[in-house]
Amino acid sequence: MPTNPLSRRGFLLGVAATTALGVAGCGLGGSSDDNADSGPVTGDVTGEIKFQTWALKPKYTDYINGLITAFQKQHAGVKVNWIDQPADGYLQKVTADAAAGNLPDVVNVPPDLSFPLARKKLLLNIDTAMPDARKDYLDNAWAAYAIPGQTGSYGFPWYLNTGPTFYNKALFRQVGLDPEHPPTNYSELENDALVMAQRSDKKIAMLGLTPVIADFGLYGVTVMNADGSKFTFNEPKGVQFVEMYKRLYDAGALIPEALTANYTGAGTKFMNQQIAWAPGSAYDLQNFKTNAPSLYANVGITKTITNTGKAVLYVQGLSVPAASKNKPTALAFAKFVTNAENQMAFAKLTAIFPSTKGTMSDPYFSQDGGTDEGRVRVAAAKQLETAVNYTPVQWSEQMTTLLQQKMSDAMQGKTSPKQALDDTVAQCNKLLAG
């Protein structure tokens, strides 16, 4: 459960934007010897499989072990060997294992890592392998594992998130902004950020990150063309978005550290009350209470700002490699882990949301119990009804780095916002074609 609090550069468990891995052209090798779309998988659920997760130990050890025990009791003769990999370097490890043909039978991957694997026919098409599975999951969650240019979907959605935005009421109050009426649109955000920077003599910045690709989607930019073959976020609305960030940077409303390559310190700065505005999730709220009580006393909670009316959807899921030697058991276990009952239990254990149909109607997601955590949970659950995964599956870590570098150049005046986006789109389309 990779976490990078208050950053759209990482999956916040709590959420998550999923972190993409630059695997295009990185030597995943040829297609699997097995046909990933050969029809429904049949056979007995028995034998041994390996199940790999992403940074779930030690916090969720009891939960996962409980799942494994329950599944093994249901299926005599099954043995599930659980492997949990640390967060650092996880995606690179998955890529290396894929290249070597050593992927576990069930592997936790975000949608954007499923893209290069599925394109190489290294993952089973779940629509083909288990045709009845789709009906049990939310349509927007299932669609997150669809691959442009190919039919089907290549992962079982496991857990979802979306988040509110957090802001620091004390910092708003300090510069004379109304802490009970935070910005509700991009124009208000810019105006308040400029006021904050000016009245604090540039000592308090509103923002801690340059925009990532999901932010362009929230702004209403058309990130890709209809068939997913080309990036298009250098359209006029995209340029307008970057121009806004340039004005904020020039005024001191965006911290200069945000221009550093692969900067990940925005969450810490918000925790230390050095910036006033940050995306997040219900997971972060508990983190504030435990690790930043002075911030927690002043934290405000508001909706994600979006021009589309739809918040960001973050997704994690489980895929089954086409080369698995025990596909029936791997598919059955992945389906079991992600069924409604088990996802509901996981949601109550931590700050995530189920991907299964009907589960969100549970009163747990509509009754806040009078707590801040409950209020965030209920608000996020409502957003999930229409939330969108704005990060295309084709988007890679290499593309993320390119965008960040060009945003840095634009902020510093080394190039214009339009030229920065034109260059980024050109290079990303070249990577996509490769």
Side-chain angles (χ1 to χ4, degrees):
M1 193 164 283
T3 60
N4 187 359
L6 299 163
S7 168
R8 289 197 178 103
R9 300 194 196 285
F11 187 94
L12 303 180
L13 183 73
V15 129
T18 51
T19 302
L21 178 64
V23 292
C26 289
L28 283 176
S31 300
S32 166
D33 291 336
D34 297 78
N35 190 335
D37 298 295
S38 59
V41 170
T42 58
D44 295 336
V45 177
T46 188
E48 195 165 335
I49 59 169
K50 292 180 180 179
F51 168 46
Q52 180 169 291
T53 56
W54 184 1
L56 293 186
K57 288 184 178 180
K59 190 169 184 179
Y60 306 102
T61 296
D62 289 346
Y63 173 77
I64 296 297
N65 281 337
L67 288 177
I68 292 170
T69 298
F71 184 75
Q72 290 177 162
K73 283 183 177 178
Q74 287 183 15
H75 301 281
V78 166
K79 180 174 176 56
V80 178
N81 298 303
W82 177 29
I83 307 160
D84 187 67
Q85 300 290 354
D88 290 344
Y90 178 77
L91 302 181
Q92 287 83 353
K93 176 169 178 50
V94 171
T95 304
D97 286 346
N102 291 329
L103 284 173
D105 300 279
V106 180
V107 59
N108 178 194
V109 293
D112 38 359
L113 182 53
S114 72
F115 172 70
L117 298 177
R119 193 165 63 167
K120 288 286 188 179
K121 304 294 185 184
L122 296 175
L123 300 179
L124 283 183
N125 179 349
I126 308 301
D127 278 318
T128 301
M130 189 177 274
D132 291 337
R134 172 193 285 260
K135 70 180 188 309
D136 296 329
Y137 299 86
L138 296 171
D139 292 341
N140 57 351
W142 192 263
Y145 284 88
I147 305 299
Q150 295 180 205
T151 58
S153 191
Y154 293 81
F156 293 91
W158 187 2
Y159 54 86
L160 311 178
N161 224 311
T162 188
T165 297
F166 296 110
Y167 67 100
N168 189 312
K169 290 185 175 183
L171 296 182
F172 270 60
R173 201 175 291 117
Q174 186 175 324
V175 297
L177 293 171
D178 185 348
E180 303 307 322
H181 293 89
T184 59
N185 57 50
Y186 285 101
S187 177
E188 291 177 1
L189 178 62
E190 180 179 3
N191 289 338
D192 285 1
L194 294 174
V195 166
M196 182 171 285
Q198 181 182 26
R199 292 181 181 174
S200 69
D201 195 24
K202 298 187 177 183
K203 290 183 174 63
I204 304 173
M206 183 74 82
L207 302 176
L209 289 170
T210 54
V212 295
I213 199 64
D215 296 312
F216 282 82
L218 282 168
Y219 195 74
V221 177
T222 302
V223 173
M224 298 197 80
N225 61 5
D227 64 4
S229 61
K230 290 186 182 299
F231 291 103
T232 58
F233 55 90
N234 58 335
E235 66 168 14
K237 202 162 195 174
V239 176
Q240 181 186 77
F241 188 44
V242 178
E243 288 172 343
M244 181 190 78
Y245 265 83
K246 169 64 171 164
R247 292 191 296 271
L248 293 172
Y249 179 76
D250 288 344
L254 171 67
I255 59 172
E257 294 94 322
L259 308 190
T260 305
N262 300 316
Y263 177 67
T264 58
T268 300
K269 283 199 174 287
F270 186 77
M271 296 269 283
N272 292 337
Q273 304 192 68
Q274 295 171 306
I275 60 173
W277 187 267
S281 72
Y283 180 86
D284 296 302
L285 200 61
Q286 183 58 50
N287 188 34
F288 300 156
K289 182 183 285 189
T290 303
N291 299 313
S294 60
L295 167 66
Y296 182 76
N298 291 301
V299 74
I301 304 165
T302 190
K303 292 180 180 179
T304 299
I305 290 179
T306 169
N307 284 341
T308 66
K310 298 177 180 180
V312 176
L313 175 69
Y314 304 110
V315 187
Q316 282 287 348
L318 300 177
S319 293
V320 175
S324 169
K325 301 304 181 187
N326 193 349
K327 294 182 184 68
T329 303
L331 285 164
F333 181 70
K335 184 70 167 59
F336 176 79
V337 172
T338 60
N339 71 26
E341 179 182 357
N342 289 327
Q343 288 209 45
M344 189 68 211
F346 202 19
K348 289 185 175 181
L349 185 64
T350 188
I352 51 89
F353 298 89
S355 64
T356 44
K357 286 181 178 175
T359 316
M360 296 294 288
S361 62
D362 189 285
Y364 181 72
F365 300 113
S366 59
Q367 299 174 8
D368 62 27
T371 67
D372 285 340
E373 290 86 351
R375 196 154 58 88
V376 171
R377 181 179 67 246
V378 170
K382 187 172 180 60
Q383 285 186 171
L384 277 173
E385 294 174 5
T386 59
V388 173
N389 180 16
Y390 288 107
T391 301
V393 292
Q394 301 95 320
W395 192 253
S396 70
E397 187 175 354
Q398 192 172 359
M399 295 172 187
T400 295
T401 300
L402 278 170
L403 177 60
Q404 197 281 331
Q405 290 171 343
K406 293 300 181 181
M407 291 304 93
S408 176
D409 288 346
M411 298 305 103
Q412 295 177 83
K414 295 178 180 178
T415 187
S416 69
K418 184 178 187 311
Q419 190 61 54
L421 288 184
D422 285 346
D423 291 346
T424 306
V425 166
Q427 291 183 57
C428 287
N429 282 335
K430 185 175 180 181
L431 287 169
L432 186 62

